[in-house]
Amino acid sequence: GGVPMTKLAQWLWGLALLGSTWAALTTGALGLELPSSCREVLWPLPAYLLVSAGCYALGTVGYRVATFHDCEDAARELQSQIQEARADLARRGLR
């Protein structure tokens, strides 16, 4: 087997591949003469990808934050259990 790639390495590899393909297509390095309409779409492509990746990241973070609210309830419950335990120990004569 090969070396298992981390998520970051996979993303960087994919980005490098996409970036080099994009550069080759837009600069005509492959000797392919693309129609001007194709070039007009290709030039701003990295910016669009960056913006959509940013939106996805913000959406993910927002969703995780929105679904994280049960922590306060758990803290309150733990606090009340600690107080009950203290009261129980006090009743048994332990201080």
Side-chain angles (χ1 to χ4, degrees):
V3 178
M5 291 178 86
T6 63
K7 256 315 183 217
L8 180 64
Q10 287 175 350
W11 275 100
L12 290 175
W13 181 244
L15 282 174
L17 206 61
L18 278 172
S20 53
T21 306
W22 173 81
L25 286 173
T26 49
T27 57
L30 299 174
L32 293 171
E33 203 46 54
L34 290 172
S36 59
S37 59
C38 284
R39 276 216 198 90
E40 283 170 23
V41 172
L42 278 173
W43 274 115
L45 199 63
Y48 289 137
L49 285 175
L50 200 64
V51 168
S52 48
C55 289
Y56 172 75
L58 280 174
T60 305
V61 169
Y63 174 75
R64 297 237 172 106
V65 167
T67 56
F68 191 68
H69 59 82
D70 4 286
C71 209
E72 285 179 36
D73 299 340
R76 268 191 237 104
E77 191 180 330
L78 189 64
Q79 207 63 35
S80 71
Q81 286 176 355
I82 289 171
Q83 285 169 350
E84 279 175 31
R86 280 187 180 152
D88 189 46
L89 286 173
R91 273 200 302 274
R92 293 176 188 215
L94 292 169
R95 282 271 164 207

